[in-house]
Amino acid sequence: MVHRSLLIGVLLGATFCLPWAKAHAIEPPLIYGAAPSQRQLAWHELGMYGFVHFTINTFTDREWGNGDESPQSFNPSDFSAEQIVLAAKAGGLRGLILTAKHHDGFCLWPTKTTPHNISKSPYKAGQGDIVREMAEACKKHDVKFGIYVSPWDRNHAEYGQDGYVRTYHEQIRELATNYGPLFEMWFDGANGGSGFYGGKRGKRRIDGATYYRWDKVVQIIRAAQPDCVIWGMPNADARWGGSEQGIVGDPCWATINLPAPESQFSHGHRNGKVWLPAEADVSIRPGWFYHAGEDSKVKTPAKLAEIYFASIGRGANLILNIPPDRRGRVHDTDLTALNGFKKWFDATFGNNLAAGATCQASNVRGEDAAQFGPGKLLDSDSWSAWATNDNVTDPSVNITLKRATKFNVIRLREDIRSGQRIEGIAIDAMVEGQWKQIATAGNVGACRLLRVPAITTDQLRVRVTKSPVSPMLSDFGLFLEPAAQ
Ligand code: FUL
């Protein structure tokens, strides 16, 4: 039996509180499955950034140093962190991750943990610190900064034993505490076994899942850099996209069940238990380090555009490597490619042709258009969303453009703060008085780009064809991509 005074209270509340309560009456849909943390959301917003592979390998013309190279060989003739950062910026990259230490163990900062570092090189007569110079140039030009610090160390005598793990943790602590905010730290899984190892040489086998004490690494980073995305270890914030070609699978889910074999990283798992989005990595050249012999093999803007669609366009982030040459600068050929790519990017995405359109949805959550109306598809907030009532899982929205418009790229996003919901979507265009389906996709996620044959129309329709719960679509864009050079 309901207590009498309680009942009266509820009734009074219902009567007198209603006008006040109305603004809060329509609750957003419940989150579906795993959803991103704040730091992951900021990372999704970042989208595209760069890698800077630079170390002794640049001077020995190798991809993997053995660990026995002399620090004397690290000798850039005209290093300019600013030139590298400006090259990245000119290419539209919004952050840079520097190889502070690659597998050969040479440290680009004057670490206290090993003598195998820049202070033993001729660079600035042993007074240099490339990590600092890069961090400062990034800060100056409003580019985010991140660090790659290889777990595998082919120089260190104690690699394979506890002593090295303590050294490695200390290296991470130095990097995480002395160089300002880091947006991402990258932990490579490569481990070939053989190396110099303090002169003992031979092969060292470790279990990559347990040897490095990742739990401790996470603690060190979280304490110093709570907003830093950790890439590539158990309990990380982001995962490898499954290729080194800058391409992820289609569909690519931001969720996955762990542990999972790397062969499943490119697609992830639908309804996976953790939000662990993919990052697609690729070099602008065939190798990760600069080799003069590859000057004629720099990727063209057209190739970079293709990569953009196969990574960002499938909801992943993209990290493009731009390796400095022996001067310590980005080579002219790479600069030309980066500039061409940015020109293509601006020409394509600089003008959203859907701006100013009107939207009519088949259903709006609680009829509350101010909170959940289809106008949210066209506002400047990436994640504010058109939402429907809980029982409506296959709604559609008609979009009327201001005038007949030619386009060949469609952009969709869903409100990933509420999880990855949509499993099927179709776009129709009104052509000669009839709806014609022009594109479909098996998911949406943080960003979905669909290239279509150029079409001119003033009416479109977006249909959610499959979703286990009410969808939350947050962005609709139309663009006209010029042919890339
Ligand atoms: C790989 C490394 O072995 C390469 O040298 C490079 O650093 C690439 C980004 O990751 O696993």
Side-chain angles (χ1 to χ4, degrees):
M1 190 179 133
V2 180
H3 195 281
R4 215 160 153 220
S5 61
L6 185 67
L7 190 62
I8 292 168
V10 169
L11 287 174
L12 280 174
T15 314
F16 298 112
C17 297
L18 214 55
W20 170 83
K22 196 162 189 280
H24 303 269
I26 313 297
E27 292 292 329
L30 293 179
I31 293 175
Y32 178 73
S37 64
Q38 274 307 317
R39 83 170 76 84
Q40 287 171 319
L41 202 62
W43 179 89
H44 279 292
E45 295 257 20
L46 198 62
M48 183 169 66
Y49 38 89
F51 240 152
V52 178
H53 274 69
F54 187 51
T55 193
I56 282 180
N57 292 343
T58 312
F59 303 90
T60 53
D61 212 12
R62 297 189 67 172
E63 278 291 305
W64 282 8
N66 191 42
D68 57 359
E69 298 79 14
S70 163
Q72 289 295 314
S73 49
F74 184 79
N75 195 11
S77 57
D78 192 18
F79 178 75
S80 170
E82 196 150 9
Q83 191 266 3
I84 298 166
V85 170
L86 290 174
K89 215 170 165 172
L93 308 180
R94 303 177 64 201
L96 279 179
I97 297 184
L98 171 72
T99 54
K101 180 183 85 166
H102 202 251
H103 309 326
D104 55 87
F106 180 72
C107 297
L108 291 184
W109 78 106
T111 175
K112 296 197 176 75
T113 62
T114 169
H116 198 54
N117 73 55
I118 194 161
S119 68
K120 299 286 187 299
S121 81
Y123 181 62
K124 293 195 168 168
Q127 300 302 305
D129 183 344
I130 297 280
V131 179
R132 181 150 327 276
E133 289 189 60
M134 286 297 297
E136 282 172 0
C138 281
K139 187 167 173 209
K140 177 169 172 197
H141 294 288
D142 200 21
V143 167
K144 302 228 179 262
F145 183 56
I147 284 177
Y148 168 121
V149 50
S150 171
W152 185 26
D153 189 320
R154 304 175 93 186
N155 173 266
H156 204 275
E158 290 180 292
Y159 185 79
Q161 297 152 30
D162 284 352
Y164 169 70
V165 179
R166 281 194 294 275
T167 300
Y168 186 49
H169 290 177
E170 195 45 39
Q171 292 178 348
I172 292 165
R173 196 190 314 277
E174 287 181 354
L175 292 166
T177 48
N178 294 333
Y179 295 95
L182 303 175
F183 81 97
E184 179 170 328
M185 288 190 88
W186 224 86
F187 295 94
D188 200 319
N191 195 311
S194 67
F196 171 67
Y197 302 129
K200 297 193 185 93
R201 300 190 187 267
K203 283 202 162 148
R204 304 252 167 115
R205 295 271 166 230
I206 53 99
D207 174 357
T210 56
Y211 172 58
Y212 302 107
R213 296 274 323 274
W214 294 122
D215 51 339
K216 188 77 196 287
V217 172
V218 171
Q219 260 176 34
I220 296 168
I221 298 171
R222 295 281 187 249
Q225 302 275 347
D227 300 330
C228 177
V229 158
I230 301 176
W231 183 97
M233 62 168 78
N235 301 321
D237 300 300
R239 71 175 197 263
W240 186 41
S243 80
E244 290 189 334
Q245 312 304 314
I247 291 169
V248 297
D250 183 4
C252 177
W253 300 100
T255 53
I256 195 163
N257 290 315
L258 294 173
E262 282 192 346
S263 58
Q264 295 177 9
F265 279 23
S266 79
H267 287 288
H269 298 143
R270 174 59 176 146
N271 295 324
K273 286 204 169 50
V274 292
W275 190 272
L276 190 70
E279 181 189 81
D281 60 335
V282 68
S283 183
I284 199 163
R285 292 166 166 256
W288 291 102
F289 287 91
Y290 175 83
H291 308 288
E294 293 179 350
D295 283 352
S296 61
K297 295 185 179 149
V298 174
K299 292 183 175 58
T300 59
K303 179 70 189 164
L304 295 173
E306 213 178 279
I307 287 172
Y308 187 84
F309 276 98
S311 54
I312 300 279
R314 295 177 184 167
N317 272 10
L318 172 61
I319 180 165
L320 175 67
N321 179 55
I322 50 166
D325 59 19
R326 288 186 183 174
R327 294 172 305 166
R329 289 173 178 247
V330 176
H331 190 272
D332 276 356
T333 315
D334 309 45
L335 276 181
T336 306
L338 286 165
N339 287 326
F341 175 58
K342 182 66 166 31
K343 210 169 141 205
W344 164 86
F345 182 87
D346 289 344
T348 304
F349 295 105
N351 187 13
N352 184 351
L353 302 167
T358 51
C359 304
Q360 189 76 41
S362 62
N363 182 276
V364 170
R365 187 170 185 82
E367 291 173 23
D368 182 352
Q371 238 197 123
F372 299 115
K376 301 287 175 189
L377 294 173
L378 298 172
D379 69 7
S380 57
D381 180 340
S382 309
W383 312 119
S384 72
W386 160 50
T388 60
N389 292 338
D390 286 343
N391 59 343
V392 178
T393 58
D394 59 351
S396 62
V397 58
N398 287 17
I399 297 161
T400 307
L401 305 177
K402 287 211 286 205
R403 64 188 75 85
T405 303
K406 184 174 170 187
F407 63 89
N408 56 11
V409 174
I410 302 165
R411 184 180 70 202
L412 299 163
R413 290 196 179 106
E414 65 184 318
D415 178 7
I416 52 172
R417 295 171 308 180
S418 304
Q420 208 163 353
R421 306 165 81 90
I422 295 169
E423 287 179 9
I425 198 154
I427 293 95
D428 307 326
M430 185 65 83
V431 184
E432 290 166 7
Q434 302 228 321
W435 285 121
K436 180 181 173 215
Q437 181 174 297
I438 56 169
T440 59
N443 73 358
V444 176
C447 181
R448 172 57 92 158
L449 298 173
L450 299 163
R451 267 170 158 165
V452 295
I455 192 163
T456 302
T457 186
D458 62 352
Q459 279 184 68
L460 290 112
R461 182 170 65 180
V462 179
R463 284 178 290 123
V464 176
T465 53
K466 193 166 179 222
S467 181
V469 286
S470 60
M472 295 187 75
L473 210 56
S474 65
D475 180 66
F476 178 80
L478 295 175
F479 304 94
L480 184 61
E481 179 194 5
Q485 301 306 306

